[in-house]
Amino acid sequence: MAQQPTPQPTARSSSTPYLLVGALALVAAGVYLNLKGNDDDAKSGSAGASARASGEDGASASSGAGSSSRARKDEDPNAPRPRVRVTPEKIELGRVTQCGEPSVAEVTLINESKVAVKVDGWVATCGCVSVLAEPGFTLEPGTSRALPVRVDPSGVGGKSQRVDFRLDGNALGGRVRIDYDVYSPIRTMPSMAIRPEKGTELLLELERATPEGEHIATPFEVLAVLPPIGRPWKAAEGELPLEPGWGGVIVDFAAVDELAADPASRSDPAFEWRGDGADARWKTFEFVIRTDDSVCGEMRVRLRNG
């Protein structure tokens, strides 16, 4: 607030002493009331602190959204808490490649608590890591379950990923770290193909490369796509052929949709599903590219359905 201008002396100067006495009286009264209010506030704060110390929270604390007293009203504070341990806590997977068999590790979840625990799911730091199991299972006290974890190659060089397991109520159920090195003598770009927003076909480029990702100009040929959900890229009449060290595959997501529509596909390990029953939709699909290369004769590629 802006300070009021200082009053100027007037002709009625004889009344000044009385005004001065009145002002001092008002100041004194204000100081008294202020001190009394502070004293009352201090007493009120002291009483509130005593109530909190004795466990008798006031109305404002208990009515707060998400307060601990409300969240645990129906729980026994002395009840045993769930505890799940993951072993091993760290995996050294070594080389991960698109050539040959997929890279799969195994972790074990152990329920070390005295209560049954529901494992709701897991979260990985990269889409290239997947747990090959269905979430929502229960571990009884003292029991364990082994889970396979697959790592698909993405990028080049050393990688470190993590998987966090989540229990019922979004509690952390342990984690595992996976370290590995990515190298494929022939690699696809992208390493995991995502369904295009328009159309159903997608071109995958294949490149022969060094462990550091440098191109090698040595020719190779793409022989086949299995199952036949795509075809090797061939230069059309009048087009220039690919340069040495390059290849291509055209993937047709509509052909994968046709495979997924077959009821037998639900038991096909190449598919990963999202949802159940009639609402189920394929999430990922793995296929094989065959080449004439002696070191990388079969390449495994995973497609993602959006």
Side-chain angles (χ1 to χ4, degrees):
M1 179 181 294
Q3 185 175 357
Q4 299 295 326
T6 304
Q8 297 298 317
T10 66
R12 291 186 246 181
S13 58
S14 61
S15 62
T16 300
Y18 300 100
L19 292 174
L20 181 60
V21 171
L24 289 176
L26 289 174
V27 170
V31 171
Y32 170 75
L33 292 173
N34 186 50
L35 290 175
K36 187 176 185 302
N38 289 341
D39 184 58
D40 291 342
D41 289 343
K43 290 179 181 179
S44 175
S46 176
S50 299
R52 288 189 293 271
S54 62
E56 300 173 358
D57 292 343
S60 61
S62 61
S63 62
S67 65
S68 59
S69 60
R70 172 174 292 185
R72 299 191 177 185
K73 184 172 65 174
D74 299 328
E75 295 182 9
D76 180 1
N78 298 318
R81 299 296 178 187
R83 181 167 181 255
V84 172
R85 180 167 61 91
V86 179
T87 181
E89 295 181 351
K90 184 177 181 180
I91 296 174
E92 296 284 351
L93 200 54
R95 175 173 290 181
V96 173
T97 176
Q98 288 184 284
C99 306
E101 295 299 316
S103 299
V104 179
E106 186 176 89
V107 298
T108 301
L109 273 59
I110 306 171
N111 184 2
E112 296 185 334
S113 56
K114 297 180 180 180
V115 294
V117 175
K118 182 182 177 184
V119 181
D120 274 350
W122 37 81
V123 179
T125 54
C126 173
C128 56
V129 178
S130 54
V131 179
L132 306 181
E134 288 293 327
F137 58 87
T138 299
L139 291 175
E140 297 297 329
T143 64
S144 62
R145 177 168 174 174
L147 300 175
V149 179
R150 171 171 171 155
V151 177
D152 292 298
S154 178
V156 176
K159 308 291 179 181
S160 183
Q161 309 296 347
R162 194 183 75 236
V163 180
D164 292 344
F165 294 90
R166 311 303 299 185
L167 307 181
D168 185 25
N170 202 34
L172 179 62
R175 58 172 51 124
V176 59
R177 179 164 292 281
I178 306 174
D179 293 342
Y180 55 94
D181 188 72
V182 177
Y183 169 58
S184 296
I186 299 176
R187 61 178 183 172
T188 63
M189 294 183 292
S191 56
M192 180 179 286
I194 300 176
R195 187 175 197 131
E197 294 183 0
K198 296 182 179 179
T200 63
E201 292 191 343
L202 179 70
L203 173 63
L204 286 178
E205 293 183 282
L206 279 68
E207 181 189 21
R208 191 188 295 278
T210 67
E212 295 75 29
E214 300 294 329
H215 178 72
I216 300 177
T218 302
F220 66 92
E221 184 180 356
V222 177
L223 302 176
V225 176
L226 301 173
I229 50 88
R231 61 191 185 277
W233 184 90
K234 300 290 185 181
E237 185 176 352
E239 288 184 336
L240 293 175
L242 294 174
E243 295 182 359
W246 290 96
V249 166
I250 297 176
V251 176
D252 187 358
F253 280 78
V256 183
D257 293 339
E258 291 182 11
L259 286 179
D262 187 342
S265 65
R266 295 304 302 270
S267 58
D268 187 345
F271 279 102
E272 182 184 5
W273 296 89
R274 180 187 290 113
D276 297 313
D279 296 329
R281 180 171 179 262
W282 71 270
K283 180 180 178 182
T284 67
F285 176 73
E286 180 185 81
F287 72 99
V288 174
I289 299 174
R290 283 188 175 170
T291 76
D292 65 349
D293 185 75
S294 60
V295 178
C296 192
E298 286 193 351
M299 302 179 61
R300 297 183 180 272
V301 184
R302 187 169 289 273
L303 306 179
R304 186 176 293 277
N305 192 17

